[in-house]
Amino acid sequence: MGIIKLQNIRTFSYHGCLEEEAKIGSDYRVDLEIKADMRKPKETDELADTVDYVHLNRIVVEEMAIRSKLLEHVAHRIVKRIFAELPEVSRILLGVSKLNPPIGGDVEMVIVQLEEYRS
């Protein structure tokens, strides 16, 4: 087994329960870690035999572009899609962060983190 990490994927998205969040948007950060069997690509040196991190990044960016009220919801969509499109992935650790959230305090970010295993 092996781990692939994509750290600090930055997007500008429109998630949130407030109407103004839907209009003005906000900066987000996504951190993704996947676990997959890497025995074959270690030997073959072929992209087709591993989990392509370009594909992982595309899933994150596309799902972050679809508005959700809750970070939990967009995170779940990302996890479901990775499992559906990349059968080699056995575990996902995903953090979706809203930077400078409008919560009435000096908070750098709020983070929703999911850890899911292929069933």
Side-chain angles (χ1 to χ4, degrees):
M1 291 308 236
I3 292 173
I4 296 174
K5 295 180 183 183
L6 279 74
Q7 295 183 314
N8 200 17
I9 302 167
R10 293 174 300 279
T11 70
F12 190 84
S13 303
Y14 296 87
H15 308 300
C17 294
L18 303 175
E19 277 301 313
E20 49 271 18
E21 291 175 301
K23 294 176 184 171
I24 64 172
S26 186
D27 290 310
Y28 290 82
R29 171 186 172 159
V30 178
D31 295 294
L32 174 63
E33 177 180 304
I34 64 98
K35 189 172 190 179
D37 186 349
M38 294 188 186
R39 289 176 289 189
K40 188 173 181 182
K42 288 190 305 185
E43 298 298 325
T44 66
D45 195 29
E46 294 295 332
L47 180 60
D49 294 331
T50 192
V51 177
D52 184 355
Y53 49 80
V54 172
H55 190 165
L56 291 168
N57 185 66
R58 183 173 52 251
I59 290 170
V60 169
V61 170
E62 288 174 1
E63 291 301 323
M64 288 297 291
I66 301 168
R67 177 167 160 67
S68 289
K69 290 185 275 184
L70 301 177
L71 296 181
E72 293 88 332
H73 187 259
V74 69
H76 180 65
R77 285 199 328 262
I78 293 168
V79 167
K80 281 183 13 180
R81 193 160 157 208
I82 290 171
F83 280 144
E85 294 181 20
L86 299 164
E88 309 88 351
V89 175
S90 60
R91 176 188 154 268
I92 300 170
L93 180 61
L94 175 73
V96 178
S97 307
K98 179 182 275 192
L99 307 178
N100 301 311
I103 60 175
D106 186 12
V107 178
E108 181 180 359
M109 70 181 82
V110 294
I111 305 167
V112 169
Q113 193 170 42
L114 297 180
E115 183 173 15
E116 300 284 341
Y117 295 83
R118 183 176 296 282
S119 50

